[in-house]
Amino acid sequence: MLDDFLVRAVLAAVGAALAAAPLGVFVVWRRMAYFGDATSHAAILGVALALALSVPVFAGTLVVALLVAFGVARLTGRGYAADMVLGVAAHAALATGLVAASFLSGPRLNLEAYLFGDILAVSKMDLAVIWGGGAAVAALIGWRWQALLLSTLSPDLAAASGVNPERERVTLMLALALVVAVALKVVGALLIAALLIIPAAAARPLSRTPEGMLAGAATVGVIAALGGLWAAWSLDTPAGPSIVCAAAITFGISALGGRLLGGRGG
């Protein structure tokens, strides 16, 4: 029989993978990978501030991730190049968070756990946060699915159809901040973007519809989560990086399978 901490780790990994899947497809479609990096790197600053103010880490991470996301969106809309703003935001947020963490006194902050995840230390409260946050992301994306899809395919067509592309971008930023806060305990701030991007990228070559890609991303995410945990347990490797490595392997297999199927189709 599995130990309780292993059961919690499995539930946490699966919950984080399912939370990231619906957002990951939009991150890939909209080429928002660097945006995900900037938001996730800000999580360390959120952790440091939360501990300094004695508030829940989830709340601090969520607030800071939202502030960085909206700040980047506002600067990008004022004529600054998107890649420049995202590069500055990602590195500045991470560096500021590390500096802020150095001012915390006592052994209150295990920095490595927040950088790379500490899934084996997940508590029942963490599980509630992960699955609750994942359900909120799924509900938000499901509610705005058609509008998000239309504004992703063609902002002009979306506007002509009565959909506000800017509102849908705000919806994605809110969902991204939620995923960052949810996945922090599982894979850490440095690897959250990978959990968003790799499963969706792996599902893309084998998908024929947007809904199929979402389902494929969720499937790949869960497989990577379980495979990474198995590798971590068997090989005594870090759990968060192992999950990302498992996702990368599935991407390689998917890319090869996509090329073979494409070749046969031709």
Side-chain angles (χ1 to χ4, degrees):
M1 186 174 179
L2 291 176
D3 293 330
D4 286 345
F5 78 94
L6 281 178
V7 174
R8 291 196 298 269
V10 168
L11 291 175
V14 171
L18 292 177
L23 183 58
V25 294
F26 286 103
V27 169
V28 170
W29 289 334
R30 290 181 174 236
R31 300 181 180 179
M32 293 172 60
Y34 286 117
F35 194 91
D37 272 333
T39 309
S40 60
H41 288 177
I44 296 299
L45 178 57
V47 170
L49 292 177
L51 293 177
L53 300 174
S54 299
V55 299
V57 170
F58 174 81
T61 303
L62 179 61
V63 170
V64 172
L66 280 172
L67 289 175
V68 170
F70 285 114
V72 167
R74 189 171 183 83
L75 286 175
T76 302
R78 291 192 171 188
Y80 292 93
D83 58 345
M84 180 192 72
V85 172
L86 290 171
V88 171
H91 298 298
L94 179 59
T96 304
L98 294 174
V99 170
S102 70
F103 287 104
L104 294 176
S105 60
R108 293 194 297 162
L109 179 59
N110 180 4
L111 197 56
E112 185 176 341
Y114 289 108
L115 288 173
F116 302 106
D118 190 13
I119 192 172
L120 297 180
V122 167
S123 66
K124 292 181 179 179
M125 181 59 68
D126 293 325
L127 281 179
V129 169
I130 290 169
W131 281 90
V137 171
L140 187 63
I141 298 297
W143 174 45
R144 304 302 305 166
W145 174 256
Q146 292 297 332
L148 284 168
L149 194 59
L150 185 58
S151 63
T152 298
L153 294 173
S154 173
D156 293 334
L157 181 60
S161 302
V163 174
N164 185 348
E166 183 61 27
R167 182 180 61 193
E168 305 314 317
R169 187 170 69 154
V170 170
T171 299
L172 284 178
M173 286 190 289
L174 176 59
L176 183 59
L178 274 171
V179 167
V180 166
V182 161
L184 183 65
K185 190 82 171 185
V186 177
V187 293
L190 296 185
L191 299 175
I192 291 173
L195 190 64
L196 285 166
I197 298 165
I198 298 178
R204 189 170 190 172
L206 305 178
S207 302
R208 296 292 177 265
T209 64
E211 292 80 7
M213 184 170 167
L214 189 151
T219 302
V220 169
V222 171
I223 291 173
L226 298 177
L229 281 179
W230 175 83
W233 179 256
S234 302
L235 305 175
D236 194 24
T237 55
S242 296
I243 291 172
V244 175
C245 286
I249 291 172
T250 62
F251 171 76
I253 295 172
S254 172
L256 179 60
R259 292 188 65 178
L260 290 177
L261 291 175
R264 289 176 182 174

